[in-house]
């Protein structure tokens, strides 16, 4: 079991970097995680100038980000709302640096993969008290978009909907973070533990994650949870660990869910049967987004133009895309979209040859839930969490970071 004193300053910076995501939308444009990136840019550039070999391993990502950024800047020429489009380009610039900042820190850290895992676990632990307080007392932080006493209805069934949005502004924002956390929490249970207490805490975090996902009642998040738990059960049994422990936890979860979430599960099940993972607003976005994509010659309608185009040209009341792939493809075009999918393929390619079995299993879970975790919320490209998740997957997939320095 690694002690905190075994970490160097860069390991601790990785943990801090990721944990700052727990502050959500606090600070607005000047979110602490963005400020940290800007402050560290000179040191990151100095390191990469001195160690050009590090960037050679990321030539694809570097060239892709440069091309993406240039195309976003060019698209400002036909911006519908110039201020909004400039904001998208600025955030995109910071987020590209955010990706490479984690790469820089990982190359300087002693235990980069352990630090990445601990950072995501700390992020989760920091959000738990606020989330539980919201769910139990229906009291929310000032930045919450939804209000207390919210009702959930489907057909003739009406339920009071308790929810947790923590610092993320809306419940879908926190649902997305919970889905991002899922592979890390599962990895924490699968990895060897030095004693019973860390193992107990790992299971406790997993049970807490399940409770929060079900309580927030997002179809996309519950689908991600189901996929993750199925793969987790398979990997857990392959490790030859106690089947009784797995069965006991499963029985406890099932009994608790039936007793405490009976009505909620009924509504969620009805929504799944009638709508699956889609609804009318999302389907309209997909249909009109595809039309806008084709009308742009598959080159994209431009940075920050998605919502204005959906509102002004297609008359949509719900113009938020709720889909990362719509955000990328419709705004930036086919080439950017294909290259982004290429990044996901490169993660899998790196993991496939990684000798660390747990890391390979983590990447399988992360990639399997990835498409569904990115259709829950909107503004993924503006959010630092999406980019840090992507960079974290790179670090855990790449066997160069397996070795202790």
């Amino acid at each position: 079991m690694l002690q905190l004193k075994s970490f160097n300053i860069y390991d601790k910076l990785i943990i801090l970097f990721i944990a700052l995501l727990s502050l959500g939308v606090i600070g607005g444009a000047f979110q602490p995680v963005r400020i940290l990136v800007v402050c560290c840019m000179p040191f990151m550039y100095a390191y990469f100038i001195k160690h050009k070999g590090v960037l050679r391993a990321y030539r694809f990502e570097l060239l892709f980000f440069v091309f993406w950024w240039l195309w976003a800047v060019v698209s400002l020429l036909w911006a519908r709302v110039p201020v909004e489009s400039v904001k998208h380009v600025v955030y995109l610039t910071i987020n590209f640096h955010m990706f490479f900042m984690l790469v820089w820190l990982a190359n300087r850290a002693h235990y980069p993969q352990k630090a990445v895992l601990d950072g995501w676990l700390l992020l989760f632990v920091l959000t738990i008290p606020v989330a539980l307080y919201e769910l139990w007392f229906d009291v929310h932080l000032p930045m919450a978009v939804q209000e207390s006493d919210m009702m959930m209805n489907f057909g003739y069934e009406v339920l009071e909907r308790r929810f947790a949005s923590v610092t993320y502004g809306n419940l879908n924002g926190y649902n997305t973070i919970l889905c991002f956390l899922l592979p890390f929490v599962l990895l924490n249970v699968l990895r060897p533990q030095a004693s019973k207490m860390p193992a107990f805490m790992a299971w406790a975090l997993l049970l807490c994650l399940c409770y929060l996902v079900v309580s927030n009642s997002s179809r996309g998040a519950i689908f991600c949870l189901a996929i993750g738990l199925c793969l987790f059960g398979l990997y857990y049994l392959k490790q030859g660990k106690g089947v009784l422990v797995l069965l006991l936890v499963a029985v406890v979860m099932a009994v608790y869910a039936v007793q405490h979430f009976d009505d909620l599960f009924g509504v969620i099940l009805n929504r799944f049967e009638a709508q699956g993972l889609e609804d009318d607003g999302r389907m309209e976005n997909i249909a009109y987004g595809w039309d806008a994509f084709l009308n742009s010659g598959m080159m994209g309608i431009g940075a920050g133009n998605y919502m204005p185009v959906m509102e002004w040209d297609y008359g949509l009341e719900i113009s938020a895309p709720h889909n990362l792939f719509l955000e990328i493809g419709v705004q930036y075009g086919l080439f950017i979209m294909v290259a982004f999918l290429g990044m996901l393929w490169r993660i899998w390619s790196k993991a496939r040859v990684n000798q660390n079995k747990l890391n390979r299993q983590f990447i399988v879970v992360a990639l399997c839930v990835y498409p569904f975790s990115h259709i829950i919320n909107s503004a993924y490209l503006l959010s630092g969490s999406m980019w840090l998740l992507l960079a974290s997957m790179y670090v855990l997939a790449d066997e160069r970071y397996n070795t202790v320095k």
Side-chain angles (χ1 to χ4, degrees):
M1 183 73 177
L2 294 175
Q3 301 295 325
L4 186 60
K5 63 182 180 181
S6 303
F7 288 161
N8 67 7
I9 184 62
Y10 298 100
D11 292 289
K12 296 172 184 177
L13 272 174
I14 289 175
I15 296 173
L16 172 65
F17 189 25
I18 297 171
L20 282 176
L21 294 175
S22 64
L23 297 177
V25 299
I26 293 175
F30 299 98
Q31 292 174 13
V33 68
R34 291 175 181 150
I35 293 174
L36 179 62
V37 172
V38 173
C39 290
C40 290
M41 277 184 190
F43 306 101
M44 180 180 69
Y45 275 110
Y47 175 81
F48 284 139
I49 290 172
K50 188 176 180 180
H51 302 84
K52 296 182 177 64
V54 174
L55 280 183
R56 290 195 191 101
Y58 294 90
R59 278 177 296 188
F60 175 84
E61 290 74 20
L62 180 59
L63 292 174
F64 171 41
F65 287 163
V66 169
F67 178 77
W68 189 345
W69 183 84
L70 290 173
W71 182 236
V73 171
V74 170
S75 74
L76 293 177
L77 295 173
W78 55 87
R80 295 294 188 93
V81 183
V83 173
E84 186 68 18
S85 293
V86 169
K87 183 183 82 171
H88 276 247
V89 173
V90 171
Y91 285 6
L92 207 59
T93 305
I94 294 174
N95 291 337
F96 289 160
H97 284 84
M98 192 175 292
F99 176 92
F100 280 107
M101 180 172 163
L102 190 61
V103 171
W104 163 56
L105 293 174
N107 278 275
R108 302 301 304 271
H110 284 171
Y111 306 95
Q113 294 179 346
K114 178 66 167 57
V116 165
L117 175 61
D118 286 354
W120 284 96
L121 294 178
L122 178 58
L123 161 63
F124 184 37
V125 169
L126 291 173
T127 67
I128 289 174
V130 181
L132 294 179
Y133 189 82
E134 288 184 275
L135 288 169
W136 293 345
F137 300 103
D138 200 21
V139 177
H140 309 284
L141 296 179
M143 70 281 299
V145 175
Q146 293 94 355
E147 299 179 354
S148 302
D149 300 319
M150 186 168 71
M151 305 305 293
M152 177 181 184
N153 65 79
F154 189 86
Y156 296 104
E157 297 184 68
V158 179
L159 287 176
E160 179 189 9
R161 184 174 188 180
R162 296 287 183 93
F163 68 91
S165 58
V166 193
T167 57
Y168 300 97
N170 66 78
L171 63 92
N172 279 335
Y174 189 49
N175 284 331
T176 301
I177 290 294
L178 291 175
C179 292
F180 288 1
L181 285 162
L182 176 62
F184 299 95
V185 174
L186 294 176
L187 174 63
N188 191 41
V189 178
L190 289 172
R191 68 186 178 126
Q193 303 288 355
S195 63
K196 291 183 178 180
M197 182 53 68
F200 172 79
M201 293 302 299
W203 278 105
L205 287 178
L206 176 56
L207 290 174
C208 189
L209 180 69
C210 295
Y211 172 78
L212 292 174
V213 168
V214 173
S215 298
N216 255 5
S217 61
S218 162
R219 288 167 292 164
I222 290 174
F223 196 70
C224 288
L225 180 64
I227 294 173
L229 290 179
C230 288
L231 291 171
F232 166 75
L234 176 65
Y235 293 143
Y236 188 85
L237 294 176
K238 276 189 173 182
Q239 285 187 1
K241 294 189 176 182
V243 179
L244 289 178
V245 175
L246 188 62
L247 288 176
L248 178 62
V249 172
V251 169
V252 169
M253 289 172 61
V255 171
Y256 184 84
V258 170
Q259 289 181 346
H260 294 271
F261 297 108
D262 185 41
D263 291 337
L264 180 61
F265 271 119
V267 174
I268 294 173
L269 183 59
N270 284 337
R271 294 178 72 197
F272 265 116
E273 290 177 349
Q275 299 174 327
L277 291 174
E278 299 295 342
D279 55 39
D280 292 340
R282 293 174 189 264
M283 292 306 296
E284 283 185 332
N285 262 280
I286 292 174
Y288 291 131
W290 176 252
D291 188 66
F293 170 74
L294 293 178
N295 289 337
S296 70
M298 296 189 291
M299 299 301 292
I301 60 177
N305 283 339
Y306 187 93
M307 292 180 65
V309 167
M310 291 300 110
E311 290 175 5
W312 301 346
D313 295 3
Y314 295 96
L316 292 188
E317 293 183 7
I318 302 175
S319 57
H322 288 283
N323 191 315
L324 168 67
F325 305 103
L326 273 182
E327 289 184 37
I328 298 175
V330 176
Q331 291 185 109
Y332 299 103
L334 179 64
F335 296 116
I336 299 295
M337 184 65 185
V338 170
F340 183 82
L341 294 176
M343 289 183 67
L344 299 180
W345 174 254
R346 279 174 58 79
I347 290 172
W348 167 240
S349 298
K350 292 175 184 293
R352 190 171 52 181
V353 297
N354 195 323
Q355 298 302 308
N356 187 313
K357 182 172 66 174
L358 280 179
N359 285 9
R360 291 200 306 272
Q361 292 172 348
F362 165 85
I363 293 300
V364 170
V365 175
L367 288 176
C368 284
V369 303
Y370 195 91
F372 307 101
S373 64
H374 287 78
I375 59 171
I376 298 172
N377 201 23
S378 286
Y380 285 101
L381 291 179
L382 305 185
S383 170
S385 58
M386 192 280 283
W387 296 96
L388 277 182
L389 172 65
L390 202 61
S392 297
M393 290 166 66
Y394 265 85
V395 171
L396 285 164
D398 198 333
E399 64 180 358
R400 289 178 304 166
Y401 300 113
N402 293 356
T403 307
V404 174
K405 298 179 182 179

